[in-house]
Amino acid sequence: MNLKELAANLGLSQTTVSRALNGYPEVNEDTRKRVIAAASQHNYRPNTRAQSLATGRSMAIGHVIPISTNHEMMNPVFGDFIGGAGEIYARAGYDMMLSVVPDDAEDGAYRSMAQRNSVDGIVIHGPRRDDPRIALLKEVGLPFIVHGRAPVDDTDYSYVDVNNRRAFERATLHLADLGHTRMALLNGLESMDFAIRRREGFEAALKARGLPFLPQFHRSEEMTESYGYQAAREMLAQPDPPTAFLVSSLITAMGVRRAVEERGLQMGRDISIITHDDDLGYFKNGGEVPVFTATRSSVREAGRITAEMLLGLIDTPQNGPRQHIMEADLTLGLSTGPAPR
Amino acid sequence: MNLKELAANLGLSQTTVSRALNGYPEVNEDTRKRVIAAASQHNYRPNTRAQSLATGRSMAIGHVIPISTNHEMMNPVFGDFIGGAGEIYARAGYDMMLSVVPDDAEDGAYRSMAQRNSVDGIVIHGPRRDDPRIALLKEVGLPFIVHGRAPVDDTDYSYVDVNNRRAFERATLHLADLGHTRMALLNGLESMDFAIRRREGFEAALKARGLPFLPQFHRSEEMTESYGYQAAREMLAQPDPPTAFLVSSLITAMGVRRAVEERGLQMGRDISIITHDDDLGYFKNGGEVPVFTATRSSVREAGRITAEMLLGLIDTPQNGPRQHIMEADLTLGLSTGPAPR
DNA sequence: TCGATCCTCCAAAGCGCTTTGGACGCTTTC
DNA sequence: GAAAGCGTCCAAAGCGCTTTGGAGGATCGA
């Protein structure tokens, strides 16, 4: 059933039917009712392709997920983000286009989305140090929002980000307040912007308290469980082990806990852990009382905010780029306590 | 830059340019080269919308992710599946359309995708008991593949699934062989097909060994970490606790381990655990030696297979529905051992 | 040499929708 | 009673592409 048939069916012109369905004023309310009734009866829905060809708007948002060619991993964070964003898109009548692309071909993916007119806007995920994509998207001129930021903090692009620096600074200060002086940082890949900022926060806090940065207790890797386990295991085996861990992901923190307990140590007493917690649906940090003390920020909420912001940007681009920074909570759990002496 | 401009630029007709780019034979190789060169120089890519309006094919695959209204969770498994499928789509020039939909509105989402002509095929995720979607999609007549199966095992639809029944049957038999008689089953939601099959496998194995099914050691919930922790904690506190756990997800299994260790028990000696392992990128089951003994089947691979199958189905629908069942490996890890006496 | 055949190319129709530029009849205004 | 205005509707022109149905010239076989 297409517009033509529906119109013929009703004894009306396509113009009128189209207008009736799209809420234009120049159509009698009675006929509008008739049209809407007929449409829903015949289960008519306009062909998206034709519609967007005619209007020039595609009513779709593109997300490009870079799959690093060497790691080939799908960040679980991504699922929750998509969930949040998708909710907003659905409500606004937008579709979501996903492109899973090896990161050496990302360039083409963005260009292609723009040139082929398949999306009205784009969300950039996982910005890296010196990320070329921001410049690229400015060049192709498609509205976009970065989930995260580029290290260079210019203000002429839109982003939604967590205040990673402050979160990790606060967490580190908290550990210092508890008397910890030997702290380990199990960071994400420091080619990623968020990891850079977290490290900065960590170092700033150490400096503020006159504590040294201990390179042997610093790692930067893809945030898997086994990474946490391996790293913590090695560090704890050293003669002068750390008494506290700052960890970039709940998943990795679970690996750390495994290593801690394997060694017969007790978390929260012998070893303190603070982790970042993206508040994932499938990864709640315990129940009422959090297992881990954590810097928490819902990535699902970030998805919602990003989507809303992007739709706004598409509707009123003249308002210029917009930014939103989410502060992470520092929630106390059972994994922190005074430094043992 | 569109086709018309490009054609004018080259002094050719749109027809010829289109044919040259699409590899039709009736165009001189020299002009084809010229056209391709010009296209890449001007960074020309055909407008997808126009293209699909003209061809009737949208070159996109739809995935509808049901977000259960009560749980609101995004299964991490989904990310890996999408990663695998997306790889195949990209290679074949297909786009992926995601629809995140509350499960009470799913119906509309499918109908809409079909009616609006926005996709050429659909992947159904997480089939439930008496899932109405299969009938629905047959009705709307869009090629589709189910990731999983409907409990009614009719053969007139296409699916890719793991042999969940056999996997859990084998796992249970293995535990029985180790002397375990009191086994707990921490299953996924048994409104889901996969969970039903796993339970069947579990019960079949018990029956084969003349062991009783112990209702107090059986749970069925969304597969989070804290579910595993809570359930195991409660069960282990009972006077006659289980000596082994069969768990439906690695994530949940980590919760079980937490409860086990919290109680001062040792996994693999005091308590045995076998879990299903979807082989997620971010959730490797340990390193060289698996932490958990597990029934393993890569969901990323399932995504690839599903995508390939669907593209095949779209190209040659006359070949009828196709099915693919993946057998899960039973890989030994450190979490199983003889039953303590 | 002539018609048939092949190789290249093109004009124009059409995919299903939106939107421009009226048309038509009726009411209002002076 | 004519002009203007209003409310409703429509025919037709696109949007950017593919594809049908030739056209025109070169080549070939008889």
Side-chain angles (χ1 to χ4, degrees):
Chain A
M1 171 69 55
N2 59 20
L3 187 63
K4 197 157 135 192
E5 289 165 32
L6 186 64
N9 233 308
L10 283 159
L12 289 170
S13 75
Q14 296 190 38
T15 310
T16 304
V17 176
S18 168
R19 287 191 157 145
L21 292 173
N22 291 318
Y24 281 73
E26 56 268 81
V27 45
N28 187 302
E29 274 312 314
D30 287 344
T31 43
R32 189 195 301 281
K33 285 216 183 80
R34 218 157 53 87
V35 169
I36 289 177
S40 90
Q41 185 208 325
H42 292 90
N43 223 316
Y44 168 77
R45 287 193 186 80
N47 180 314
T48 334
R49 307 299 167 147
Q51 206 167 22
S52 76
L53 185 57
T55 57
R57 301 188 60 180
S58 59
M59 296 304 281
I61 303 293
H63 288 244
V64 179
I65 318 168
I67 293 269
S68 51
T69 24
N70 36 347
H71 303 292
E72 258 228 357
M73 280 187 200
M74 193 68 174
N75 199 317
V77 161
F78 193 75
D80 264 52
F81 186 92
I82 285 298
E87 216 177 278
I88 305 298
Y89 295 152
R91 204 173 300 156
Y94 274 77
D95 286 325
M96 176 158 55
M97 303 231 41
L98 232 63
S99 249
V100 184
V101 177
D103 53 6
D104 53 359
E106 246 181 310
D107 214 87
Y110 292 110
R111 279 226 148 72
S112 160
M113 279 192 166
Q115 245 293 328
R116 314 179 62 179
N117 247 294
S118 44
V119 299
D120 293 330
I122 282 188
V123 175
I124 293 190
H125 290 276
R128 301 182 288 274
R129 182 164 39 201
D130 301 326
D131 202 301
R133 293 176 292 171
I134 293 171
L136 180 94
L137 273 179
K138 277 189 199 160
E139 182 201 323
V140 303
L142 206 59
F144 70 98
I145 300 216
V146 184
H147 177 213
R149 266 175 289 177
V152 221
D153 216 350
D154 48 355
T155 50
D156 61 346
Y157 65 92
S158 301
Y159 59 80
V160 171
D161 197 8
V162 173
N163 195 338
N164 281 299
R165 191 194 147 104
R166 180 170 313 158
F168 266 50
E169 187 175 6
R170 287 182 65 201
T172 309
L173 288 176
H174 180 66
L175 287 172
D177 288 345
L178 288 168
H180 294 275
T181 57
R182 306 178 64 74
M183 301 182 221
L185 173 64
L186 303 193
N187 208 352
L189 284 172
E190 286 179 6
S191 51
M192 308 293 285
D193 174 76
F194 76 88
I196 297 174
R197 289 178 196 271
R198 286 179 185 175
R199 179 180 177 168
E200 283 170 7
F202 177 68
E203 293 190 10
L206 290 181
K207 197 166 171 192
R209 292 299 157 90
L211 295 172
F213 176 83
L214 305 169
Q216 72 271 32
F217 296 149
H218 170 240
R219 296 292 153 82
S220 157
E221 276 181 45
E222 195 94 53
M223 305 177 289
T224 62
E225 199 264 356
S226 52
Y227 157 45
Y229 173 70
Q230 300 286 355
R233 191 183 147 100
E234 284 171 28
M235 290 180 186
L236 290 174
Q238 293 188 22
D240 235 349
T243 62
F245 286 84
L246 261 133
V247 189
S248 247
S249 139
L250 193 52
I251 298 175
T252 307
M254 292 176 75
V256 174
R257 180 177 63 198
R258 181 150 67 96
V260 166
E261 288 173 351
E262 183 188 84
R263 234 186 140 71
L265 299 172
Q266 193 184 321
M267 187 175 80
R269 191 192 61 192
D270 309 312
I271 299 286
S272 287
I273 302 178
I274 298 186
T275 181
H276 186 73
D277 173 12
D278 292 299
D279 202 19
L280 304 183
Y282 266 81
F283 265 101
K284 289 295 174 208
N285 180 7
E288 318 74 47
V289 178
V291 174
F292 292 100
T293 298
T295 58
R296 180 169 58 195
S297 174
S298 163
V299 75
R300 184 180 197 100
E301 180 64 16
R304 284 196 206 97
I305 293 174
T306 304
E308 243 146 24
M309 197 181 272
L310 183 50
L311 296 185
L313 195 62
I314 290 169
D315 280 342
T316 58
Q318 65 276 13
N319 287 7
R322 32 207 104 174
Q323 286 94 23
H324 183 92
I325 296 211
M326 304 168 73
E327 289 298 335
D329 299 330
L330 181 54
T331 56
L332 290 184
L334 306 171
S335 65
T336 41
R341 47 185 103 208
Chain B
M1 170 72 53
N2 58 22
L3 187 62
K4 195 155 135 193
E5 288 166 34
L6 185 64
N9 233 308
L10 283 159
L12 289 170
S13 75
Q14 296 189 40
T15 312
T16 304
V17 175
S18 169
R19 287 189 157 146
L21 293 173
N22 291 317
Y24 281 74
E26 56 269 80
V27 45
N28 188 302
E29 274 312 313
D30 288 343
T31 43
R32 189 194 302 278
K33 287 217 181 77
R34 216 157 53 87
V35 169
I36 289 176
S40 89
Q41 184 209 325
H42 292 90
N43 223 318
Y44 168 78
R45 287 194 186 79
N47 180 314
T48 334
R49 308 297 167 149
Q51 206 167 24
S52 76
L53 185 57
T55 57
R57 301 188 59 180
S58 59
M59 295 304 280
I61 303 294
H63 288 244
V64 179
I65 319 167
I67 294 269
S68 52
T69 25
N70 37 347
H71 303 292
E72 257 228 355
M73 280 189 199
M74 193 69 174
N75 199 318
V77 160
F78 193 75
D80 263 52
F81 186 93
I82 285 299
E87 215 177 279
I88 305 298
Y89 295 151
R91 204 173 300 157
Y94 274 78
D95 286 325
M96 175 157 57
M97 304 232 47
L98 231 62
S99 250
V100 184
V101 178
D103 54 7
D104 52 0
E106 246 182 309
D107 214 87
Y110 291 111
R111 280 227 149 70
S112 160
M113 279 193 166
Q115 246 292 330
R116 314 180 61 176
N117 247 293
S118 44
V119 299
D120 293 330
I122 281 188
V123 175
I124 294 190
H125 291 275
R128 300 182 289 273
R129 184 164 38 200
D130 302 326
D131 202 302
R133 294 176 291 172
I134 293 173
L136 181 92
L137 274 179
K138 277 188 197 161
E139 181 200 325
V140 302
L142 205 60
F144 70 97
I145 301 216
V146 184
H147 177 212
R149 268 174 287 177
V152 223
D153 217 349
D154 49 355
T155 49
D156 60 346
Y157 65 92
S158 301
Y159 60 78
V160 172
D161 197 7
V162 173
N163 195 338
N164 282 298
R165 191 193 147 104
R166 181 172 310 157
F168 266 51
E169 187 174 6
R170 287 183 63 201
T172 309
L173 288 176
H174 180 65
L175 288 172
D177 287 345
L178 288 168
H180 294 275
T181 57
R182 306 180 64 74
M183 301 181 222
L185 173 64
L186 302 192
N187 207 352
L189 284 172
E190 287 180 5
S191 51
M192 307 292 285
D193 174 77
F194 76 89
I196 297 174
R197 291 179 197 271
R198 287 179 185 175
R199 178 178 179 169
E200 283 170 6
F202 177 67
E203 293 191 10
L206 289 182
K207 197 166 173 193
R209 291 299 156 89
L211 296 171
F213 175 82
L214 306 169
Q216 72 270 33
F217 296 150
H218 169 240
R219 295 291 153 82
S220 156
E221 276 182 44
E222 196 93 52
M223 305 178 288
T224 62
E225 201 264 355
S226 52
Y227 158 45
Y229 173 72
Q230 300 288 355
R233 190 183 148 100
E234 283 171 28
M235 290 181 186
L236 290 173
Q238 293 188 21
D240 235 348
T243 61
F245 286 84
L246 261 133
V247 188
S248 247
S249 140
L250 193 51
I251 299 175
T252 307
M254 292 175 75
V256 174
R257 181 177 62 198
R258 180 151 68 97
V260 166
E261 288 171 352
E262 182 188 84
R263 234 185 140 69
L265 299 171
Q266 192 185 320
M267 186 176 78
R269 191 193 61 193
D270 308 313
I271 299 286
S272 287
I273 302 178
I274 299 187
T275 181
H276 186 72
D277 173 12
D278 291 300
D279 203 18
L280 304 183
Y282 265 82
F283 265 101
K284 288 298 173 206
N285 179 5
E288 318 74 46
V289 178
V291 173
F292 292 100
T293 298
T295 58
R296 180 168 57 196
S297 174
S298 164
V299 75
R300 185 179 196 101
E301 179 66 17
R304 284 197 206 96
I305 292 174
T306 304
E308 243 146 24
M309 198 181 270
L310 182 50
L311 297 185
L313 195 62
I314 290 169
D315 280 342
T316 57
Q318 65 277 14
N319 287 7
R322 33 206 102 174
Q323 287 93 22
H324 183 92
I325 297 213
M326 305 168 73
E327 288 299 335
D329 298 332
L330 182 55
T331 54
L332 290 184
L334 306 171
S335 65
T336 42
R341 48 184 100 206

